[in-house]
Every structure is written in C-alpha cells, then in structure tokens.
C-alpha cells in the first residue's frame, strides 16, 4: 500500500486523555480513533493488526476442535431472565424494548444464546464433546471507560463454549484450551500468567484468568516465587497465622476517646492491631452486612459478596445504620440487630480481641465470638497482603498489578439447568450438559501487546501482528532515477508477497523516519540519492540501533531473507 493513499492521520502529539503508552501510540499512529468515551473505530492499520490477532485465535481454536459460529448481539431478555442474570447484572447490561414493547438486551457475553443453541445440534452423548466459538462484538456499558482499548464499552471478543457429558470429560478437555491460550499469548508476543480467579457474574465451579503483568492494570495478583501459586487478589487465599492459645477473659469496657481507627486504638491501648477486631458495613441490596476481620487485615469485598450471595456490595450510609445499635468508629457485633453478621475465620479463632462498645469513645477488651456475640456466617473474608504466607508452601506472597487478557470458566450445569440444555446418555436417560466458556478480548490483547512492545519513539510490533512487514521509505522522489528505483523495490516486494507500506509522500526524511518508528513496522527500507550512489538500499530493523546496506540488485530477496530470519 502507498502511504499517500492510506486512510487515517498520524498525530504529532498524544491526545490529552491518553495516559498510557498503548493508548497514546495507537491513536497517534492512526490505528484507532475514538467515537465516544470507550467506543473506538479501528482504522485500516488497526484493522490489519486486529485481523492478525483473530487469525491466531481461529487457528488455535480450530486446533482444539472448535467450530466457528456467529451468535446475535441483540437477544430477548427472556433468556437472561431464565438464567437469572437479568436480575443480578447491573446497569452495564444494556436493556431496551423493541418496537413491539418486548424486553431485549445487547449481549455483553453469549452464554445464554449459546446454551439455547446447543440442544438444536446436540441430542446424544455420542455427539459430545462439542466446542463452538465466535469472534463477535460485545456491549458492556462501563461506568468509567479508561486506557484506550483496555476498558471500553464496545469490544470484540473471542468467546468459546464447550459442552460435555460429564464433569470428568470437561476436566479432560479443559487443559487443551488452557494450553491453546498460552500459545495464543505467546504467538502475540506477551506473557500471560494463569491465575486462580473469582467467577463473578459468570458463575461456575472453577475459573482461571490469564494476566499480563503491568502497572496499568486494575487487577492485583498474589504470586509465590517458591511454589508458583498465583491468584487474583479477589480470590487469593493465604495461610493465616495460628492465634495464641489462651483462656477467655472477662469483657471490660475502657474509655478510648478519639480512637475511631485501628491505628489510633492500638496506639492508645498499646496493643498490636492483630489483637483488635475491625468492623466494616455494607449494603447488599436491602440487606445490611456487618463484616468483621482482625485489625491487621482488610476486608476482601469479592469474598464477602460471594459468601452472602450478593452480586455486588456498596458501603452502608449513616442513615442505613440508624436503629441497629451500630456506632461507626466504635462498633462491634455485640448488641447489633437487623444485620447479617459475617466474621472472618481468623477472628473466630482469635481470643480476647479489642472491639467497639457501640458507644462513642469506648471499646471493649476481651471480646470473643460465641460467648459475647454470634455470627450468621464464618468464612474467609480477609484480603491477601504483601508478604502474606503462601497457602501452599508458606513463603511470602508478592503482589503485582496486571491486566486480564483472557478468562476460562468451568460453568458446570449452571446455564444448562436454567435453560434446559439436555442430552440423552448411554442408558437413554436425560442429562444436563456440562459446560465451560473461554474468552479473550481482542482489543485489550492488542493494547497489552502495545504496552509490552514500545519505546519512546513509538510501537514495536511483533512480526506476527505487524500491519505490514516492511516500511519502504522513498527519499528525494523528485529525482526520476530515485523514484524509479523505489518503485522497482516496491514492485519486487509485492511480487514476493511481502506486505509493504511504501512512504511515497513529499515529506522530509525526518518526518518519514519518525512516522516509521511510531508505526512500529518491523523493518524499514530506504531508497535515496545517497543509497543509489553505491547501488544499495538501507535496511534497519525497528529494534536495531544501526542500519545496514544491501545491494539494490536482489534487495527484495535479501529483505525476504531478513524477515524470515527475524521470525525464527
């Protein structure tokens, strides 16, 4: 393609709202263009990168037996009502009515539609397992789109779904997709770490996220260098210390003026935070949740939401605590009414903790679960922290920020039960299909590749994803001899089926070289008066410090060899 004919302008400066490198360079390079907050058009260069990612996805999904389909974006709400997600998913699910007044949704994922489809093609155990996949538009009305393609409201996703006769068959099949995911990310040029995760709104028994380590990430991972344990902080566990063994002591009220925080309380009473109980209040719908963890730990809201069966939580407001006996800053479950009391399992095992007296300016020494108050739920609701003991080997965990680029779920029969997806087993008995789903966000993956592969001048695409293999620069093109030589190289490269972007514009050398660096195409080849003096062509890899000269005669063949060597 000729640069003079390429649609899309390159920008000299990054947009004001572009805070991360991938967003800056993808917009500046003319790969994407914002239409509205979290909604982007892919321009010709971006579309070429996107198509390369999608080709890798198709090859790997086909390689594990997947068959490509395309499911509707617009779906009847009745499917989502039957699955229950109509009621549990928040405003990020776009709901509307069609012209006849029927409730509809714009799909943010396709479990419902796929589960509805499966029984039409699978009736017998002999037809299992089956895997269908698609590369399809999704709509998620994010409350705060950010980071260019990292968090958007409209996106392309590769989602795959497998159906099985038994859990054991799913367990045999699941590692094939898991391994395919590792190959996909490797072929795209990034390392994605599989970690245990929370299934969230998807449901199911088990889930893995594939995480790209980056400071731009919104997720936090807990990792153990000693044994390899890795989990999203939302789901991570850790080996909690064994509390001291001591007899219960009598409760004693003490004055603690202006000690509304754990730090102030511990300093005033000269006790470690581990000897205190921390109270936090949330609303789960119309239910007040009173959560208690040890004072040296923090509440994990995802764990808490899961144990109380809530899709989400929000902090309780002062007026919602009225009449319950709760006094913020001085609270404990003692004497509280009208709340679901959830106590962390370490608090349940820790004797004689300092807790609030539910009276301003006072705390209680030596409070104990079971004697002084009861819990509706005792569970692990504490959040992992830097250096927390690994649950497997006991070594200290490290925390790191990351971006989720893929997610796999063992759904079990969660959707097949709700939507009636059944098959006949070998005995002729009706059984529910056992399912799994597997997703990769295409745009987010591209953004993560850009985050991993750039320098201060621009992008550095891995060869497998680059929009073109060669950026051919023609300088001094007002000279007929130079122009003819550049055109010959351009024609020879195309004849060898090498994808080339030919910069034939009337621009200065510095502009063309800067544009080449910004676009990040793997190889730059330059024809100019200077190179023609010794009948050569200048070649420079995007990652190289210096250029080299190759004979003009046979230059296209030499470039083809260089490209072949670089792909190995």
């Amino acid at each position: 393609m000729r640069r003079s004919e390429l649609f899309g302008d390159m920008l000299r400066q990054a947009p004001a709202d572009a805070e991360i490198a991938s967003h800056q360079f993808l917009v500046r390079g003319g790969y994407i263009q914002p239409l509205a907050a979290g909604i982007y058009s892919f321009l010709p260069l971006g579309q070429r990168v996107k198509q390369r990612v999608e080709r890798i996805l198709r090859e790997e999904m086909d390689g594990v037996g997947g068959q490509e389909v395309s499911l509707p974006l617009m779906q009847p709400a009745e499917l989502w009502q039957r699955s229950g997600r109509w009621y549990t998913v928040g405003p990020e699910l776009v709901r509307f009515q069609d012209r006849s007044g029927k409730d509809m949704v714009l799909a943010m994922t396709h479990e419902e539609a796929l589960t509805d489809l499966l029984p039409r093609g699978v009736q017998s155990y002999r037809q299992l397992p089956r895997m269908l996949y698609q590369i399809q538009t999704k709509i998620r009305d994010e409350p705060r789109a950010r980071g260019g393609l990292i968090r958007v409201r409209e996106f392309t996703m590769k989602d795959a779904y497998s159906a099985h006769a038994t859990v054991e068959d799913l367990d045999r099949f699941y590692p094939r997709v898991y391994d395919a995911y590792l190959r996909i990310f490797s072929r795209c040029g990034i390392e994605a770490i599989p970690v245990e995760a929370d299934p969230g709104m998807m449901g199911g028994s088990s889930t893995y996220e594939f995480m790209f380590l980056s400071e731009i990430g919104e997720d936090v991972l807990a990792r153990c260098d000693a044994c390899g344990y890795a989990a999203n902080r939302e789901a991570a566990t850790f080996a909690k210390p064994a509390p001291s063994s001591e007899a219960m002591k009598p409760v004693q009220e003490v004055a603690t003026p202006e000690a509304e925080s754990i730090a102030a309380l511990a300093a005033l009473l000269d006790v470690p935070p581990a000897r205190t109980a921390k109270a936090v209040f949330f609303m789960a719908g119309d239910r007040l949740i009173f959560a208690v963890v040890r004072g040296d730990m923090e509440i994990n809201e995802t764990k808490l939401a899961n144990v109380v069966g809530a899709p989400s939580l929000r902090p309780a407001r002062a007026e919602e605590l009225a009449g319950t006996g709760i006094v913020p800053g001085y609270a404990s479950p003692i004497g509280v009414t009208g709340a679901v009391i959830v106590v962390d399992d370490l608090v349940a095992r820790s004797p004689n903790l300092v807790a609030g007296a539910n009276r301003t300016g006072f705390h209680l020494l030596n409070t104990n679960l079971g004697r002084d108050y009861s819990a509706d739920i005792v569970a692990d609701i504490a959040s992992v922290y830097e250096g927390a003991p690994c649950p497997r080997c006991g070594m200290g965990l490290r925390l790191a920020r990351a971006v989720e680029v893929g997610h796999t779920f063992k759904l079990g029969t969660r959707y097949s039960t709700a939507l009636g997806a059944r098959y006949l087993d070998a005995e002729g008995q009706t059984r529910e299909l056992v399912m799994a789903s597997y997703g990769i966000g295409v745009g987010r993956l591209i953004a993560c590749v850009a985050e991993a592969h750039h320098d201060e001048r621009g992008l550095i695409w891995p060869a497998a994803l680059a929009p073109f293999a060669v950026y051919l620069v023609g300088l001094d093109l007002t000279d007929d001899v130079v122009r003819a030589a550049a055109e010959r190289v351009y024609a020879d490269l195309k004849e060898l089926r090498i994808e080339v972007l030919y910069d034939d514009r009337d621009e200065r050398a510095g502009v063309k070289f800067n544009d080449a660096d910004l676009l990040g195409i793997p190889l730059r080849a330059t024809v100019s008066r200077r190179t023609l003096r010794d009948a050569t062509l200048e070649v420079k890899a995007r990652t190289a410090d210096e250029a080299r000269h190759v004979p003009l005669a046979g230059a296209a063949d030499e470039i083809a060899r260089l490209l072949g060597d670089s792909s190995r």
Side-chain angles (χ1 to χ4, degrees):
M1 174 175 282
R2 295 176 185 272
R3 181 72 177 81
S4 59
E5 298 174 355
L6 179 65
F7 180 85
D9 292 331
M10 298 175 67
L11 305 179
R12 298 301 159 212
Q13 299 295 326
D17 64 337
E19 298 177 349
I20 63 175
S22 60
H23 190 188
Q24 294 171 6
F25 290 137
L26 288 171
V27 174
R28 283 188 57 204
Y31 285 91
I32 61 175
Q33 177 68 40
L35 177 64
I39 304 174
Y40 286 86
S41 299
F42 278 77
L43 305 185
L45 286 174
Q47 185 67 7
R48 292 175 74 92
V49 175
K50 186 168 177 281
Q51 288 169 345
R52 281 156 172 70
V53 172
E54 291 173 357
R55 181 176 64 207
I56 292 172
L57 295 172
R58 287 188 170 95
E59 288 172 357
E60 293 295 344
M61 291 298 97
D62 291 346
V64 294
Q67 301 177 58
E68 187 170 3
V69 297
S70 181
L71 301 173
L73 173 62
M74 186 168 69
Q75 300 177 9
E78 184 264 340
L79 284 178
W80 290 69
Q81 290 163 352
R82 287 168 60 193
S83 75
R85 291 204 292 183
W86 173 267
Y87 309 103
T88 59
V89 177
E92 60 268 29
L93 177 63
V94 176
R95 301 165 167 88
F96 65 101
Q97 290 186 335
D98 63 17
R99 64 174 60 198
S100 65
K102 184 176 181 180
D103 286 329
M104 306 290 288
V105 305
L106 295 180
M108 58 200 305
T109 181
H110 277 74
E111 280 73 20
E112 283 81 1
L114 191 284
T115 307
D116 181 73
L117 177 67
L118 275 173
R120 308 172 198 275
V122 173
Q123 292 86 38
S124 166
Y125 74 98
R126 300 179 188 276
Q127 297 168 295
L128 296 170
R130 284 285 188 270
M131 188 170 100
L132 303 177
Y133 75 94
Q134 62 174 348
I135 300 174
Q136 164 69 286
T137 298
K138 303 285 191 292
I139 303 294
R140 184 184 177 101
D141 194 6
E142 290 284 356
R144 53 184 190 92
R146 62 170 292 272
L149 298 180
I150 293 293
R151 183 169 292 281
V152 292
R153 296 159 65 197
E154 176 181 309
F155 54 98
T156 300
M157 176 175 281
K158 187 288 300 172
D159 48 334
Y161 306 88
S162 63
H164 307 267
T166 62
V167 171
E168 291 75 20
D169 183 60
L170 168 57
D171 290 343
R172 286 190 294 268
F173 184 84
Y174 193 81
R176 296 171 57 189
V177 185
Y178 180 100
D179 291 342
Y181 268 41
L182 295 179
R183 290 192 298 272
I184 286 167
F185 300 125
S186 177
R187 291 178 64 182
C188 289
I190 65 170
E191 180 184 10
I193 300 169
V195 303
E196 297 175 15
D198 177 70
M201 71 166 187
M202 300 290 289
S205 61
S206 165
T207 177
Y208 277 91
E209 289 174 330
F210 293 78
M211 307 297 284
F212 166 67
L213 291 178
S214 173
E215 285 303 312
I216 71 167
E218 294 180 320
D219 289 282
V220 176
L221 306 187
R223 304 176 67 197
C224 179
D225 294 329
C227 71
Y229 172 79
N232 192 308
R233 191 176 193 174
E234 293 180 344
T237 60
F238 57 100
K240 294 177 179 176
S244 60
S245 178
E246 58 187 66
M248 285 189 270
K249 300 176 182 179
V251 174
Q252 179 183 351
E253 186 179 79
V254 294
T256 52
E258 300 182 0
E260 296 187 9
S261 69
I262 293 295
L265 177 66
L268 178 66
L269 298 181
D270 193 23
V271 298
R275 298 288 297 186
T276 69
K278 180 186 297 183
V280 189
F281 326 113
F282 298 93
M283 295 301 297
D286 58 358
R287 291 183 296 161
L288 174 61
I289 309 298
F290 189 127
V292 185
V293 293
R294 215 169 67 172
D296 58 336
M297 297 185 181
E298 300 295 331
I299 295 281
N300 183 315
E301 291 188 30
T302 300
K303 290 181 180 179
L304 180 60
N306 287 340
V307 300
V308 300
S312 62
L313 301 172
R314 64 166 175 81
R317 296 186 290 268
E319 61 268 23
E320 292 168 323
L321 303 180
T324 64
I326 296 171
V327 178
Y330 299 92
S332 76
I334 299 173
V336 168
T337 60
V340 178
I341 308 297
V342 184
V343 175
D344 183 66
D345 53 4
L346 182 57
V347 170
R349 295 184 285 114
S350 299
N352 302 320
L353 296 181
V354 179
N358 286 319
R359 191 156 74 98
T360 300
F362 291 88
H363 279 80
L364 301 175
L365 306 181
N366 307 321
T367 67
N368 291 271
L369 175 66
R371 184 193 68 181
D372 304 311
Y373 65 95
S374 59
D376 297 293
I377 301 172
V378 174
D380 172 25
I381 58 170
S383 187
V384 68
Y385 53 90
E386 183 75 30
C390 173
R392 293 180 183 171
C393 71
M395 299 300 291
L397 296 171
R398 291 191 300 113
L399 301 185
R401 302 198 71 82
V403 179
E404 177 198 327
V405 289
H407 213 148
T408 61
F409 302 85
K410 289 184 179 179
L411 301 173
T413 60
R414 183 233 189 282
Y415 292 91
S416 55
T417 298
L419 295 166
R422 301 180 179 89
Y423 72 98
L424 293 178
D425 67 13
E427 286 73 44
Q429 298 297 311
T430 299
R431 306 288 183 189
E432 291 166 338
L433 290 169
V434 178
M435 296 174 58
S437 70
Y438 320 86
I440 291 177
V442 176
R444 182 179 289 186
L445 176 54
I446 291 171
C448 289
V449 173
E451 286 292 328
H453 298 278
H454 72 270
D455 59 17
E456 70 280 359
R457 300 189 304 274
L459 299 166
I460 307 174
W461 290 113
L465 302 191
F468 293 91
V470 178
Y471 192 91
L472 176 62
V473 175
L475 302 179
D476 312 312
L477 294 179
T478 55
D479 185 320
D480 291 342
V481 174
V482 177
R483 178 173 287 277
E487 293 284 349
R488 172 47 52 194
V489 174
Y490 179 49
D492 289 346
L493 289 170
K494 290 199 298 180
E495 188 172 344
L496 292 177
R497 298 186 181 278
I498 294 173
E499 295 184 306
V500 54
L501 181 59
Y502 172 30
D503 195 338
D504 60 340
R505 299 172 299 164
D506 181 19
E507 289 284 1
R508 292 176 288 108
V511 172
K512 293 189 176 187
F513 290 157
N514 287 340
D515 285 358
D517 285 343
L518 176 59
L519 292 180
I521 293 169
L523 198 67
R524 188 186 78 202
T526 304
V527 179
S528 66
R529 285 196 188 101
R530 185 170 61 84
T531 66
L532 291 187
R533 288 190 192 114
D534 54 4
T536 64
L537 178 145
E538 183 185 86
V539 177
K540 180 182 179 297
R542 177 63 178 82
T543 55
D545 294 327
E546 302 292 335
R548 57 176 293 190
H549 288 255
V550 302
L552 189 61
D557 291 321
E558 178 63 12
I559 287 172
R561 186 190 69 77
L562 291 173
L563 291 172
D565 289 345
S566 66
S567 66
R568 294 192 181 98

